Amino acid sequence: MLDLLVKNASLPDGRKDMSIAVRDGKIVQVHAGLDLPAKESLDAQGLLVSPPFVDAHFHMDATLSYGLPRVNQSGTLLEGIALWGELKPLLTQEAIVERALAYCDWAVAKGLLAIRSHVDICDPRLLAVEALLEVKRRVAPYLDLQLVAFPQDGVLRAPGALDNLKRALDLGVDVVGGIPHFERTMADGAASVKLLCELAAQRGLRVDMHCDESDDPLSRHVETLAFETQRLGLQGRVTGSHLTSMHSMDNYYVSKLLPLMAEARLHVVANPLINITLQGRHDSYPKRRGMTRVPELLAAGVNVAFGHDCVMDPWYSLGSADMLEVAHMGLHVAQMTSQAAMRQCFDAVTVNASHVMGLTGYGLEVGCNADFVLLQARDPVQAIRLRATRLKVFRRGKCVSRTPASISGLDLPGRPDQTSLMLP
Ligand code: FE2
């Protein structure tokens, strides 16, 4: 006897009328038209069943702190970093835990069941590290939280940061972070990339660096990151986050850079909501968009995910844990408007992001964890268009969140199947 049978589902790859059979928290069969006895059954009525959303780039130690101790007046990255510096001494572990848990509730309700969060290690108390390790333990039954040791003020620039970073890893933080463009010189930035990649190689850890997050066309840290990845045999385990300078780089140089990144099997995370608001701030007109070159990276064979980065914090006053909003913005900024490109934007907040995190058991194949989302949409493009309601969210075969259907413009006017959904 199965625990759960989902019938009549549309899958993100276009398959229709699919059944998903679940036993002991795992997917045991995926087949068209399958009908087997189950303790619980769900008729998806042709709607989309997707693997959960994955956010490959977030800052959970800062989330939901908007207005503390003041708001970012200029809206720039640098004022955001300065503001975060003002907030840090005022933080308590209890307040970080409370805000992070609230965010995780939002996330689950939006079908977002895996998050990679950077955590600032520059405070020698490691207050935020301890708080988010506690949150990671508490949310584990329903959400995979992966932590990156992030030296916000620069691992070389900030006194004691390297020691703090190593202590954070000793405490159980999963991934080595960095911020080479915030070091004092280009040479120091390159030295920080080398140092941090060597540390990750010694400890058998993944790397995820904020890298070239500026409009400087001559910022070159992603080149160093790709080179060190290959030198140390870290292929497939290293991520360059933001890479906004690539937007402004010389086209000839990029034609040389893209194959280097592909050879290193570098992952890339663009953060469309943040990149479009923080970059181009020194421009008059025309103003640069400042998001990295997503279609060109994908065409070169590089795995690209979209991250949320910030929700209601010193850098960004909006956001709601909705990865479809992130995909929607990414699609617009990158002008990825073909049917195939729009589906790539859906992949950027699901399967591609799972590759960044190195998740195991992710997907809708036999043997995968029974984690999936029933969306009030018929396909990934419609899901992005509508920022579709997450009707039901399943974790290990159990429903962990449900949201009533909305009147949503699901079908074109005059179509007979546009009327109400009678989902249980
Ligand atoms: Fe970030």
Side-chain angles (χ1 to χ4, degrees):
M1 172 84 89
L2 299 169
D3 293 324
L4 170 68
L5 182 69
V6 180
K7 294 187 286 190
N8 196 16
S10 298
L11 303 189
D13 62 10
R15 284 180 285 172
K16 305 276 183 205
D17 190 29
M18 298 299 290
S19 298
I20 303 168
V22 173
R23 189 184 297 121
D24 298 330
K26 298 272 185 192
I27 295 173
V28 292
Q29 282 197 66
V30 181
H31 207 279
L34 195 69
D35 201 359
L36 293 167
K39 290 176 197 158
E40 187 188 345
S41 112
L42 171 66
D43 182 354
Q45 299 183 24
L47 296 178
L48 180 65
V49 173
S50 166
F53 296 103
V54 179
D55 185 358
H57 188 112
F58 195 61
H59 293 264
M60 204 174 278
D61 49 358
T63 197
L64 308 190
S65 69
Y66 181 69
L68 298 176
R70 60 181 179 84
V71 298
N72 183 336
Q73 291 296 337
S74 66
T76 60
L77 172 64
L78 294 182
E79 186 179 342
I81 293 175
L83 181 49
W84 175 237
E86 290 169 36
L87 176 57
K88 267 195 271 191
L90 311 176
L91 290 172
T92 66
Q93 214 173 91
E94 295 72 26
I96 297 170
V97 168
E98 192 182 338
R99 290 195 284 260
L101 288 174
Y103 186 78
C104 289
D105 282 348
W106 294 11
V108 171
K110 294 287 188 187
L112 169 55
L113 300 188
I115 299 174
R116 173 181 277 184
S117 175
H118 296 254
V119 52
D120 186 0
I121 54 77
C122 287
D123 177 351
R125 297 172 298 169
L126 295 183
L127 203 79
V129 169
E130 287 180 1
L132 290 193
L133 284 168
E134 169 66 12
V135 170
K136 179 179 170 167
R137 278 189 288 276
R138 284 168 64 174
V139 302
Y142 55 95
L143 187 149
D144 295 308
L145 178 59
Q146 193 179 70
L147 299 177
V148 185
F150 174 48
Q152 172 75 75
D153 302 326
V155 73
L156 298 177
R157 179 174 172 171
L162 180 59
D163 183 50
N164 296 344
L165 191 145
K166 288 178 180 169
R167 286 194 292 127
L169 298 176
D170 291 341
L171 287 170
V173 170
D174 308 274
V175 178
V176 177
I179 186 164
H181 57 273
F182 198 68
E183 303 291 355
R184 277 308 203 189
T185 62
M186 196 63 84
D188 265 10
S192 79
V193 171
K194 184 168 183 284
L195 171 80
L196 292 163
C197 286
E198 285 173 354
L199 182 64
Q202 282 160 16
R203 294 185 177 232
L205 298 176
R206 288 174 173 258
V207 176
D208 188 340
M209 290 196 197
H210 286 63
C211 197
D212 298 328
E213 188 184 359
S214 73
D215 295 315
D216 177 1
L218 297 177
S219 198
R220 293 285 183 263
H221 298 304
V222 65
E223 176 187 284
T224 309
L225 187 65
F227 178 80
E228 291 298 325
T229 298
Q230 297 216 68
R231 184 177 72 84
L232 296 162
L234 291 169
Q235 290 92 338
R237 299 172 61 79
V238 175
T239 298
S241 278
H242 290 290
L243 307 186
T244 51
S245 64
M246 283 185 72
H247 190 94
S248 301
M249 282 174 183
D250 172 71
N251 289 333
Y252 177 79
Y253 174 70
V254 172
S255 76
K256 189 175 158 220
L257 177 63
L258 289 173
L260 177 68
M261 293 170 69
E263 278 169 34
R265 287 192 278 128
L266 218 61
H267 302 278
V268 169
V269 182
N271 297 294
L273 295 163
I274 306 309
N275 301 153
I276 197 68
T277 47
L278 293 186
Q279 303 306 314
R281 290 279 180 159
H282 291 262
D283 295 353
S284 55
Y285 287 96
K287 283 183 193 287
R288 281 167 288 184
R289 293 164 187 234
M291 191 166 79
T292 196
R293 302 188 186 203
V294 176
E296 293 78 9
L297 284 160
L298 288 167
V302 176
N303 181 52
V304 182
F306 289 153
H308 207 319
D309 201 6
C310 301
V311 171
M312 300 184 73
D313 69 9
W315 295 273
Y316 190 61
S317 54
L318 305 173
S320 62
D322 185 351
M323 295 308 293
L324 286 172
E325 185 186 349
V326 173
H328 190 266
M329 180 59 79
L331 183 159
H332 284 77
V333 177
Q335 300 180 330
M336 292 175 67
T337 49
S338 72
Q339 283 288 318
M342 289 193 283
R343 285 172 189 271
Q344 286 179 316
C345 291
F346 189 85
D347 290 346
V349 293
T350 52
V351 61
N352 294 7
S354 82
H355 292 151
V356 171
M357 288 183 66
L359 296 178
T360 54
Y362 180 88
L364 295 180
E365 306 302 325
V366 173
C368 290
N369 294 322
D371 301 348
F372 40 77
V373 186
L374 174 65
L375 290 141
Q376 193 184 352
R378 299 192 191 282
D379 58 52
V381 173
Q382 201 174 47
I384 293 173
R385 179 172 68 82
L386 300 171
R387 268 77 80 215
T389 302
R390 284 66 161 175
L391 297 165
K392 289 193 170 190
V393 180
F394 290 87
R395 170 85 166 175
R396 308 297 192 258
K398 300 231 169 359
C399 183
V400 291
S401 175
R402 64 181 70 206
T403 305
S406 56
I407 300 166
S408 66
L410 192 61
D411 294 294
L412 294 170
R415 295 267 178 90
D417 56 352
Q418 70 171 311
T419 47
S420 66
L421 290 157
M422 302 299 287
L423 286 156

